[in-house]
Amino acid sequence: MRRLVPYLAVLPLALILGGYVIYPLWATFVTSLQAGGRFSLDHYRAFFDRQYTAPMEALVTSLGISLLSVLLAGFVGVSLAFLLNRLEFPGRRLLQTLVLVPISLPPLVGVLSFMFLYGESGIVPRALQHLLGLEQVPFALRGIAGVLAVHTFTMYPFFYMTTATALQGLDPSLEEAARSLGATGWQVWRRVTMPMLTPALVAGSLLVFMQSMASYTAPLLFGVDRTLTMQIYVARTNGDLAMASAFSSVLSMVSIAFLFFMRWYQDRRVYRSLSKGVAYHRAEVRSPLLRWAAMVLSVLGTVLVLLPVFVLVLVSFSVNARWTVQVLPPEYTLENYAAIFSDPRFWEPVRTSLETSFLATVAAALFSVAAAYVVLRLPIRGRGLLDAAIMLPWALPGTVVAINLIAAFNQPGPLTLGRVLVGTFWILPLAYFVRLMPLVFRSTAAALAQQDPSLEEVARSLGATWLYSFRRVVLPLMMPGVLGGALLAFVEGIGEFVASILLYTPDNVPISVEIFRRMYSFEFGTATAYGVLQIVLILIVLGISNRLHGGGRAPAVI
């Protein structure tokens, strides 16, 4: 009987994962195999039909954009990581902080900032047109180029953070030993540095690829219709849930396949230093020319990073529907912010985002504490399978999660207590819970893995019950990881747009969807005021998270 107790603890976790992750994924796949109430492969035949080219074009375009985003974001992020973590020059510390600013920009807000800056009616093209006396703007971001520019700017921090962390743990004596043996700089980079950075590069590649495949806002606003996320939204909007499910299933397969490929690539070799762990050092730039070049790069990098945020703040004070062909908004007002804080109708989206994100985060934290303890401490079989099931939503784009929930809960069932969840308030926190659960779990599991199990065993040997030792010993030591993951998840929930656009109802509109609606009503001032408020909320939460983790050390969530 005692052997069955751990498995009884697993049962609630398995029910939650099975009911709200595996079952919706299966329901989407089953829906994609139905046509006219019977089993059919028509939707997949249409997907791969050469005469109906839109689905295959969407697949190829999504793959191409995602792979190019990985390459471009990787180049920028890794280059900045080496520049700011291997060289010492004036302005380095300032830029080291500012390069992470794009992380505070929610996806929709980040795309809007690029449109206001570099779009066809953007500030920079209009300014150059007036300055050079041209009849038309000299350039404008549009199409795939615009999508790639946004992805590179908003996603390079993933590569920067993982690479910077890896560089701090890399023993420079390895590179020095290679050079002393006659290796050239390129050989040292290829044979020593890059192999040791492989886990960091794999982690960054996974994050960027998943984010790019899930990208909906950038293709929508830059006019790229042939992507899988756009096709899912069009099919869902047209009421063709079966075709939307087919697109979602293909997108899930591609994302999961890339996840397994990158894990296979990483696991081919062991990337572990056997040195004594000598701390790395920065090389000071002594050449005056190089020091000036580094300072110029620092200033340019600072301007490029902060310019989108400055533009959002500027436009948030503009009068709605007055900014047309001018370089800058012609009139400014405080009414956009006054309306948000004084009119209950304007405050509703803020309340909805805070409520749904809070509920999802609390649920994810409670689940993650139990799941981390089961996976790392209980002697049960199948722990690896449970871990994989928890991390599965991390490989699923937000559009896929939304379609999965629509397919699973558009009719009453035991998992919904006999209610239809689609079209209600509760579908949003459920979607956020599914999407954010892996993030909180990984942070919580990392904190628990650092604990010595003997601490709990000592408490038990002194007569403490399991519940008492868990509450007084295990949980306090886990709490930094739980809070760190929960705060980051709360940030993600506040900025979530991709799943929200498919699941929201007119009575429950989150901030991101309200920004989208205001923008399409040409209420740029109100839309960006919401965006600035969203950024402020996120920065506050990130500041709290930073203080909880010792002034800069982020929790391990990858």
Side-chain angles (χ1 to χ4, degrees):
M1 182 62 185
R2 295 182 60 183
R3 293 182 179 180
L4 295 179
V5 172
Y7 292 94
L8 293 177
V10 175
L11 185 59
L13 303 178
L15 289 175
I16 292 174
L17 289 172
Y20 300 111
V21 176
I22 306 300
Y23 169 66
L25 188 63
W26 174 253
T28 297
F29 181 66
V30 171
T31 303
S32 70
L33 295 174
Q34 294 180 352
R38 59 182 178 81
F39 174 83
S40 174
L41 294 174
D42 290 347
H43 299 106
Y44 289 97
R45 292 193 186 99
F47 190 100
F48 295 102
D49 191 345
R50 294 183 179 180
Q51 295 182 349
Y52 182 48
T53 59
M56 282 303 296
E57 286 183 19
L59 175 60
V60 172
T61 303
S62 293
L63 281 173
I65 289 175
S66 299
L67 293 174
L68 287 174
S69 297
V70 169
L71 293 176
L72 293 173
F75 175 77
V76 174
V78 173
S79 300
L80 284 174
F82 270 87
L83 175 66
L84 300 178
N85 291 273
R86 281 299 180 91
L87 300 178
E88 185 66 57
F89 56 87
R92 181 188 64 82
R93 290 185 179 276
L94 174 63
L95 188 57
Q96 204 169 28
T97 301
L98 294 175
V99 292
L100 295 177
V101 169
I103 267 203
S104 68
L105 293 176
L108 178 59
V109 175
V111 178
L112 281 179
S113 66
F114 260 73
M115 287 192 64
F116 289 135
L117 268 174
Y118 308 112
E120 195 162 356
S121 298
I123 293 174
V124 174
R126 291 288 187 188
L128 290 176
Q129 180 187 8
H130 283 71
L131 185 64
L132 301 176
L134 303 176
E135 294 184 1
Q136 296 181 341
V137 294
F139 79 95
L141 282 182
R142 61 171 68 91
I144 292 178
V147 174
L148 290 175
V150 172
H151 285 185
T152 302
F153 173 79
T154 57
M155 297 179 188
Y156 79 81
F158 293 126
F159 274 101
Y160 173 81
M161 289 188 298
T162 56
T163 305
T165 302
L167 285 174
Q168 292 174 10
L170 180 61
D171 188 349
S173 64
L174 299 174
E175 297 173 337
E176 294 169 0
R179 291 191 184 94
S180 67
L181 292 174
T184 64
W186 168 248
Q187 289 175 324
V188 172
W189 166 264
R190 185 172 61 88
R191 302 294 298 274
V192 179
T193 308
M194 281 300 292
M196 295 300 293
L197 294 180
T198 295
L201 297 178
V202 167
S205 298
L206 283 171
L207 290 170
V208 172
F209 186 86
M210 298 304 178
Q211 292 273 355
S212 299
M213 287 295 291
S215 179
Y216 168 76
T217 314
L220 174 67
L221 298 183
F222 283 104
V224 183
D225 297 329
R226 297 295 172 86
T227 64
L228 286 177
T229 52
M230 287 293 294
Q231 295 298 310
I232 290 172
Y233 179 76
V234 170
R236 170 73 177 105
T237 304
N238 292 335
D240 192 351
L241 182 58
M243 194 65 202
S245 299
F247 280 115
S248 299
S249 297
V250 172
L251 185 53
S252 300
M253 293 174 191
V254 171
S255 299
I256 294 172
F258 185 80
L259 172 64
F260 281 112
F261 170 76
M262 295 303 291
R263 289 291 172 84
W264 167 82
Y265 179 79
Q266 178 177 333
D267 293 341
R268 292 187 310 156
R269 300 170 63 182
V270 176
Y271 307 96
R272 185 179 299 120
S273 173
L274 298 179
S275 67
K276 295 182 179 180
V278 180
Y280 80 110
H281 63 274
R282 297 186 183 91
E284 184 176 358
V285 180
R286 299 186 180 275
S287 168
L289 180 62
L290 291 179
R291 284 175 67 86
W292 275 103
M295 290 177 64
V296 170
L297 286 175
S298 300
V299 173
L300 289 177
T302 302
V303 171
L304 288 175
V305 166
L306 294 182
L307 199 55
V309 179
F310 288 154
V311 168
L312 283 173
V313 175
L314 176 71
V315 178
S316 70
F317 290 102
S318 66
V319 178
N320 289 324
R322 296 294 178 88
W323 187 25
T324 54
V325 298
Q326 301 90 343
V327 175
L328 294 174
E331 299 180 35
Y332 299 91
T333 180
L334 294 174
E335 291 183 2
N336 299 321
Y337 289 99
I340 291 176
F341 288 102
S342 61
D343 191 334
R345 293 181 298 114
F346 286 86
W347 184 254
E348 282 300 310
V350 180
R351 182 187 60 80
T352 299
S353 285
L354 292 176
E355 286 183 355
T356 52
S357 299
F358 178 77
L359 290 172
T361 301
V362 170
L366 293 175
F367 175 88
S368 297
V369 169
Y373 190 87
V374 167
V375 170
L376 294 176
R377 292 295 172 85
L378 295 188
I380 61 172
R381 295 181 180 180
R383 288 184 294 179
L385 183 62
L386 182 63
D387 190 304
I390 295 172
M391 295 305 297
L392 179 62
W394 194 252
L396 300 179
T399 47
V400 173
V401 172
I403 292 297
N404 290 349
L405 295 179
I406 292 171
F409 303 125
N410 61 357
Q411 55 187 359
L415 292 171
T416 60
L417 303 178
R419 299 179 59 187
V420 176
L421 285 187
V422 178
T424 69
F425 167 83
W426 295 103
I427 195 70
L428 282 175
L430 177 60
Y432 297 170
F433 165 75
V434 172
R435 295 209 69 195
L436 304 177
M437 175 180 58
L439 183 64
V440 188
F441 169 76
R442 187 53 60 199
S443 178
T444 304
L448 182 60
Q450 294 176 342
Q451 295 183 26
D452 188 344
S454 62
L455 296 175
E456 184 181 4
E457 294 171 1
V458 169
R460 297 292 300 277
S461 67
L462 294 174
T465 63
W466 174 87
L467 181 60
Y468 185 85
S469 62
F470 179 82
R471 182 171 59 88
R472 297 298 299 272
V473 178
V474 178
L475 191 58
L477 294 174
M478 291 173 62
M479 196 52 64
V482 177
L483 291 177
L487 288 171
L488 292 176
F490 186 68
V491 165
E492 292 289 325
I494 291 175
E496 216 293 323
F497 175 72
V498 180
S500 302
I501 193 66
L502 292 172
L503 297 173
Y504 83 96
T505 65
D507 295 329
N508 300 291
V509 180
I511 301 179
S512 55
V513 175
E514 184 65 16
I515 294 173
F516 180 75
R517 292 167 55 176
R518 296 282 178 175
M519 188 200 66
Y520 267 84
S521 299
F522 296 98
E523 299 177 29
F524 296 140
T526 307
T528 50
Y530 275 119
V532 171
L533 181 60
Q534 199 173 20
I535 292 173
V536 170
L537 290 172
I538 289 173
L539 287 175
I540 291 173
V541 176
L542 288 177
I544 296 172
S545 178
N546 187 56
R547 288 183 64 88
L548 288 174
H549 286 87
R553 291 182 295 110
V557 297
I558 298 169

